[in-house]
Amino acid sequence: MRSALEIRFALMRRPIISAPPLPLRALSPFALAAALLLGCEPAPEPEFASPVGYDGLLEEMRTGTRAEVEDYDTGEMVERDLVGFDQALDERFGSPADPAVFTTLPVRFSSSEAAVIDVLDDEEAETTVFTLAPIQGAETVPAVAKGDVLHWNDEFGSPHEAVVAAVEGDAITVPLVPFEARPVSLPLGFNEETGEPLPGTVVIGDADLLEEGRELYAVHCLHCHGSTGAGDGPTAKYLHPLPRDYRSGMYKYTSTGTGIASRADLTRILRDGIPGTYMPSFHPALDAEKTASVVEYVRWLSMQGQYAKGVTDEAAFTYGDEAVRERLESEEGLTREDLVQELIEYWPDDVTGKLSFVGTFLAENWALAESEPPVTPNEPRPVLTGDELAASIERGKGLYLQKSTQCASCHGSRGLGNGPQTVSVQLDAATGDPYAEPGIHDVWGEVVQPRNLTRGIYRGGRRPIDLYRRIYSGIPASNMPGFGDNLSDEQIWDLVNFLMALPLHPSLLDGAELDVSHDDDAVAAARPALPPAAPELKADQS
Amino acid sequence: MSTLAPPSADAAISGGDPHGAHSEHKQPGFIGRYIFSSDHKVIGMQFLLTTLFMLFVGGAFALAIRWQLAYPWEPLPILGKALFPTTGGRITPEFYTMLFTMHGTVMVFLVIIPILAGAFGNFLIPLQIGAEDMAFPRLNMASYWIYWPAVFCFGYSYYAAGSLGAGASSGWTAYPLLSALPDANPGTGPAQTWWLYGLTLVGVSSMMGSVNYLTTIINMRAPGMTLFRMPMSIWGMFITAILQAFALPVLTAASLMLIADRELGTCFFIPTGQLLPGADVATVGGGQPLLWQHLFWFYSHPAVYIMVLPAMGMVSDMLACHCRKPLFGYKPMIYSMTAIAGLGFVVWGHHMFTSGMNPALGMTFMVSTILIALPSGIKVFNWIGTIWGGHVRFNTVLLNCAAFVSMFITGGLSGIFMAAVPVDVYFHDTYFIVAHFHYILFGATLFGVFAAIHHWFPKMTGRSMSERVGQLHFGITFLAFHGVFFPMHLLGMAGMPRRYADPYVHPPFENLLGMNEFMTWAAIVMGAAQLLLVANFFGSWAFGKKAGRNPWLANGLEWSAPSPPPHGNFDLPPVCYRGPYEYSSPVVMPDRDYLPQDEPAEAHAVQGA
Amino acid sequence: MKWVWVSLFAIWPVAAIALSAVSPSMGWWFPESPVTEPAVAEPGAGSSESVNPLGREIDHLFYVILVICGVVFVLTHVGLAWVLFGGARRTVARYFHGNHVLEVVWTLIPAAVLFFIAFYQMEVWAKFRVESYYPADVTPVAEVTGRMYEWRIRYPAPGKTLMDTPQPDDLYAVNELLIPAGEPVLIQLRSQDVQHSFSLPEFRIKQDALPGQRIPVWFQADQAGNYTLLCQELCGWGHYKMGGVVIATPPDEHAAAMAALAAKQQSDGVNQTDDEESEIASTTAVTGERN
């Protein structure tokens, strides 16, 4: 027995484990080291992406060119560099992580900004003296020292900078500034009493406030809203609804009555969040000061997107790939060179002028959002209790179901957000083509679900005034019409009362059906949604 | 040499041609010998190499976590550029949740459990009990090869959502509802389902192993190897296998229930009326999320002991050997191990003190949890007693074992804070917890594993590991370990929560950034030091000094087999004559200080303890 | 070399204890209570003592365990270092298999200590969660609902009691829980989506918000101030964002704050002065408007 076992063990004995092949072992440290060295170089900061259609523009228009042009002063022909859109956009905005100063825009770029109330040239000494004053809302002029760099933009929005040569009180001496490069206020304005032009603004140093906003944005916002504010951060693809794409300059929950949000609107959203979405409240992580700088940065991102888009759309009208192709086909003997020559001839209008025009237009719109008072009812909400309140709610319910208001056609006859419009195919307002999928679309082309009014989740805020504003001006960005022109304040408050009661008593709409029997004469067809900002811009120009 | 093994064995080594005439026994080819081998040693080595590789994967996750905690939202080195080109290499919060989920998953399910049971259990059990192989060699092979589908499932969960870095992200504990609602979070879609498949498969792999270990230990011991002559390693594996056999079905059931909730629309864990942001409809269910926590911890708390008991056993063996002295209190050690295993089944609720379960249950679980410190304490005292009066060899093995004891004390003591319900209310889900279980799982278990690797490496490969490199590796790892994990206690004291991608957005934690930076650099040093282990491991495998059968002059049966042992392990079926810890026995002193278990009892031989 | 290793095992516990000893002065200990503005010389302000009476009892229990465990930690490590030191000097090992008396001693003494710890804890836990799970004499101040990734808070209108279901005149806030200082308060905790955990480090309070359940949590701020509110159960990618503030003010100020909140809630843009709007206006005034 034993010997048999012995034999068996002896036969089976073989070394079981041996070393891995040598070349593999020898190579692995090098592979590791190479991966480490290559990988340690940090990823580049992302740049702003070009808007749709930008790459189709005539190449010279984008990159700029060098050509003989007539000198503005002497009338002689001189060879000059013509600044194209690439460089212009870069000068005006820089990159998301390193914002440039572009004082044309109503953005607070820096904590040290000053108004220029007087400009005096000293031709002999080849210097210019700026007299500074505090900007609106500030009390003192920020400290300026010799050697500081000043940034400002001229009438056409072109950026300029100068090194401070001397400081004497509020008078700052810099090297001679040509007349056309002087800082001016934009939008151009004049003092009503004296007729003097309003002061321009200079920024001392860099856009530090925006950079501060950017740092906070990178921590709190970037992963959803994306580096450039396109709403395309890496987290965005998992979210429903999608994070806001700031570049269109459109916001849903505004108090301004348009798609443009005021600083107060953005501040409120950062503080309160948007219930029912993934946008959380950032209170108390962002205090008032931090919130202000994030808001400023977000506004700047919006304006960048709108500016680039605006310039592109303007230029594409004459020099976009489609326009160019059409002209080359329709006009006999016209070559691309002719077009370039034409472009160079009209460069001040077609390129520089458009840069200036779009900037001014934008600045005006955004400034209006701040200066105009928010949408406010003329009549206060009546204080109602008991039967009066019930009657008001009943009236509100009537308005809700009325055919002319069409509330129920989107929000559904039970208020569940499932009205017939949500399953019908809609037309794209911009192109006139039907959307691929049924349902209501917002200006970003995404399907948007009308609110389920029985949940008690109010994305734009739950105060009566918030509901009033939603009804009065609608939500332009998601094509909810406003009823301010067609409903009286009293009627809107009835609707508000009804909407506030509905989540507490969903049975209010039990068995309700769209009322088709009697149309209230006071209510005409609902005003259509405001067109989005960009088409409006185009219409204005042509 | 002649004392090392029976004379017949020497003859067997020199004589006989392995490729000689043998018609009946078919020689397996390369694949049969190294890939789909049913030999327990090959499977053990497969497990060891795989789990060591996974250790590096899990460690890389840990370093990425540490990077984010030290430099929040700064570009991630090495991988950031490829993974997050649109953010300048900054990671995203959901990637962070994925990181710690995968770190936990990989370390617990793919490293610690299989490296103990799979690698050392496989390698040691037949050798130490004198068997020629496992009871079910093919089942054994299956247990290794089912590990890979599990790895695949865990790994595939990264890609399942369609892009890299969208892995399961509800933590390694996968609490519902986060894990039950596919729309809840970036990583809870298909990724979570794949993760659950992986969890189930890992469980199957462990279960196959544990059935095998139980059968082998009960049935295949060499003649004379009574239960109370078994080395502590075997006792550790034995009790672990029992724990797994009883607890694992619960986890498997729970994970199948969760899969059913996700895929089939059952609602075991989903209550009514929960509304996700942006969701159109609320959940309807009537389920109970607490149920998952009960089921999960019913396995995963015993799993904590699964993750340390075998290490305890191996450390007991190694301490006795390298202190040249019998183990202090062999039977109390076994009893306390059994007590830990028994109590381990009734303490799961201490993970749930703040969960909203019946508060009276909290008291019960508090008492049982605090009581489990008692057998643990007894073990510690016995280890210290084992070293006491020994002739200590200060080599890599002993140093790692002593570190095991030291870390186990520390981790055990910090456990008392958590066992006490009111105090745990504060510490729950803070870094104090993280410190505690890293002291146990990394500090204790992994140092025990390092020791075991150095100790049994000669038996595995026939060569010795470099002592110099080994000690260097130990020194750096030991210091860096404390640099990383001791400050975590203090972070926990300050209330820093676990699983926060950026704790510093909350003002109270702003001043903790400096400490976290230090910890991160300690972690990087510690990670780099593991390259020494790899270099030592493979370098020694190829070029190490040849070790004989019994380089440590140890007593266990495995040391009487050739190094590395051939298929079938022993020259002759060994016979056991005494317990495994007869070091410095007066019977053989002062000629030699060890008395192997299979050395035939002579007239003066003393029966083992 | 072996002496280096022996000393390593002796030195690290010393370093660990030294680090723990200096940590309270470095801010690595229990979070410090905020100093109220303007600074009031209240006891406990700016110290790491809990503002919650129950929290102070928990702190006491913690220190009891800390002392016991600290002593055990030192003794066992001294023992370990000592046996290693002895082992480093020996050339011949002693031969023995254990000591029955010692085993009994080091079973019974720890058992006694552990039972002491276990039973010493019970009273506080009973007080917090068993005897007064839902104290009858404490009126709930608010319903706190965790949602991804913020705390939504619903108060009853001033003078009314909190109902289980929303009422027309309820007040709503987000991430900001107003409580009166100096008296016990109770909140009803819920979750709107996944599991969250309502955590107040300065109060040593933590309770998971379990989906599908409403769980009462009570605590007391002895001292006015702003306290941190966190989520401490993984709730998704934005888990770390989920923070809030508990503002404890003296009862009269609290009532005023609630009244102000009620007014703000009812704002129709005409009659009621809109606090929030003016607050935002003041923010923008700081920012400055130029056009």
Side-chain angles (χ1 to χ4, degrees), chain B residues 546-557:
Chain B
K546 290 256 188 205
R549 292 189 171 219
N550 192 357
W552 303 119
L553 305 180
N555 285 349
L557 287 186

Side-chain angles (χ1 to χ4, degrees), chain A residues 115-373:
Chain A
V116 183
I117 48 172
D118 195 20
V119 182
L120 215 77
D121 289 347
D122 184 343
E123 300 274 345
E124 271 177 31
E126 296 208 328
T127 56
T128 300
V129 178
F130 291 161
T131 309
L132 301 186
I135 54 162
Q136 206 182 346
E139 283 175 2
T140 53
V141 175
V144 187
K146 195 181 161 192
D148 283 352
V149 181
L150 302 183
H151 292 271
W152 72 90
N153 295 76
D154 64 28
E155 190 179 350
F156 296 103
S158 303
H160 299 278
E161 61 175 56
V163 182
V164 175
V167 181
E168 207 170 304
D170 287 344
I172 309 293
T173 309
V174 294
L176 189 64
V177 175
F179 182 78
E180 65 272 17
R182 285 183 176 185
V184 292
S185 75
L186 280 169
L188 278 171
F190 297 91
N191 188 317
E192 279 174 21
E193 285 171 20
T194 61
E196 293 282 311
L198 288 173
T201 307
V202 289
V203 171
I204 299 122
D206 290 330
D208 64 351
L209 209 67
L210 278 193
E211 278 166 26
E212 204 183 300
R214 162 69 182 187
E215 272 170 36
L216 291 163
Y217 182 88
V219 168
H220 295 281
C221 322
L222 179 143
H223 59 88
C224 291
H225 290 285
S227 295
T228 60
D232 62 349
T235 309
K237 59 177 174 284
Y238 305 108
L239 304 184
H240 171 74
L242 285 173
R244 182 68 53 251
D245 175 357
Y246 303 136
R247 297 174 309 170
S248 65
M250 294 287 280
Y251 295 83
K252 280 187 179 172
Y253 309 108
T254 63
S255 62
T256 56
T258 67
I260 293 186
S262 64
R263 286 191 176 98
D265 288 331
L266 295 175
T267 306
R268 187 178 51 75
I269 285 175
L270 276 176
R271 191 190 153 89
D272 290 353
I274 303 180
T277 74
Y278 281 96
M279 173 78 188
S281 156
F282 285 91
H283 171 69
L286 295 177
D287 56 20
E289 195 185 329
K290 287 177 176 171
T291 306
S293 57
V294 173
V295 163
E296 217 53 27
Y297 184 74
V298 166
R299 294 173 77 245
W300 179 78
L301 284 179
S302 267
M303 292 182 211
Q304 193 280 336
Q306 276 183 298
Y307 188 84
K309 179 85 167 55
V311 165
T312 307
D313 288 352
E314 289 289 308
F317 199 66
T318 38
Y319 295 107
D321 50 356
E322 217 161 291
V324 167
R325 194 171 53 240
E326 262 173 38
R327 283 189 63 190
L328 289 180
E329 278 169 10
S330 60
E331 293 177 43
E332 198 71 22
L334 190 76
T335 63
R336 191 179 174 281
E337 280 64 45
D338 297 336
L339 281 180
V340 172
Q341 206 49 51
E342 177 194 304
L343 173 67
I344 288 169
E345 200 172 318
Y346 292 101
W347 197 276
D349 289 338
D350 281 346
V351 181
T352 321
K354 273 172 183 154
L355 287 169
S356 161
F357 163 74
V358 172
T360 317
F361 184 84
L362 255 181
E364 272 170 3
N365 271 350
W366 283 88
L368 268 176
E370 299 302 320
S371 55
E372 289 290 305

Side-chain angles (χ1 to χ4, degrees), chain B residues 4 81 143 145 167 179 241 329 336 354 384 392 401 413 445-446 458 512 556:
Chain B
L4 290 185
K81 201 163 40 168
S143 109
W145 285 106
S179 59
S336 56
T354 66
I384 294 177
V392 180
C401 287
L413 288 174
T445 303
L446 219 48
L512 302 177

Side-chain angles (χ1 to χ4, degrees), chain A residues 428-451:
Chain A
D428 186 341
T431 62
D433 299 330
Y435 285 108
E437 43 188 334
I440 299 155
H441 288 66
D442 58 20
V443 296
W444 296 275
E446 300 291 329
V447 173
V448 58
Q449 191 74 22
R451 197 64 42 246

Side-chain angles (χ1 to χ4, degrees), chain A residues 35-42, chain B residues 75-83:
Chain A
L36 282 170
L37 285 176
L38 287 174
C40 279
E41 188 190 323
Chain B
L76 180 74
I78 301 170
L79 282 179
K81 201 163 40 168
L83 287 176

Side-chain angles (χ1 to χ4, degrees), chain C residues 92-127:
Chain C
V92 177
R94 294 170 59 190
Y95 178 81
F96 56 91
H97 287 94
N99 184 316
H100 200 70
V101 179
L102 263 179
E103 297 282 356
V104 172
V105 167
W106 68 41
T107 306
L108 290 185
I109 293 178
V113 174
L114 289 171
F115 271 110
F116 164 74
I117 292 178
F119 288 102
Y120 197 68
Q121 306 283 327
M122 290 215 174
E123 196 190 320
V124 172
W125 178 246
K127 197 182 202 176

